[in-house]
């Protein structure tokens, strides 16, 4: 599974240098972080709406859009999915209650 994320992250990273007129992702990078974050907000809302409906295919579709745009956000900050996967691995085996307490939240 993480191979797919890594391949996608590599394509997204390569789009940073592309002509904004030739690539949707390059266009997002060109518009800046606020545009990327706005798109994540839109995709998050669409995912929530899809989750309230019985159509699993639509939920998967919207979740994929959300994950994709989140990868674009990470790339804009010079990060990739490996950073998030490492954090999830670090948390593995720790209860959510313990993890939140360790963060002071």
């Amino acid at each position: 599974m993480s191979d797919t994320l890594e391949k996608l992250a590599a394509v997204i990273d390569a789009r940073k240098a592309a002509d904004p007129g030739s690539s949707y992702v390059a266009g997002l990078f060109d518009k800046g972080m606020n545009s990327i974050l706005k798109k994540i907000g839109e995709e998050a809302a669409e995912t929530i709406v899809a989750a309230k409906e019985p159509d699993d295919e639509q939920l998967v579709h919207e979740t994929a859009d959300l994950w994709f745009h989140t990868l674009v956000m990470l790339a804009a900050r010079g990060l990739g999915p490996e950073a998030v996967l490492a954090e999830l691995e670090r948390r593995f085996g720790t209860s959510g209650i313990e993890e939140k307490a360790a963060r002071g939240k």
Side-chain angles (χ1 to χ4, degrees), residues 15-76:
R15 296 292 195 271
K16 284 182 178 180
D19 174 14
S22 70
S23 162
Y24 170 75
V25 173
L28 282 174
F29 285 130
D30 187 59
K31 291 176 187 170
M33 185 62 90
N34 284 339
S35 288
I36 295 168
L37 297 176
K38 180 179 177 188
K39 191 63 184 169
I40 290 172
E42 292 168 6
E43 296 300 343
E46 290 172 7
T47 302
I48 291 166
V49 170
K52 296 179 95 177
E53 300 297 327
D55 185 350
D56 289 345
E57 188 175 321
Q58 188 63 26
L59 176 58
V60 169
H61 175 86
E62 295 301 344
T63 301
D65 286 350
L66 178 58
W67 286 15
F68 175 83
H69 288 90
T70 301
L71 288 171
V72 173
M73 174 193 64
L74 289 169

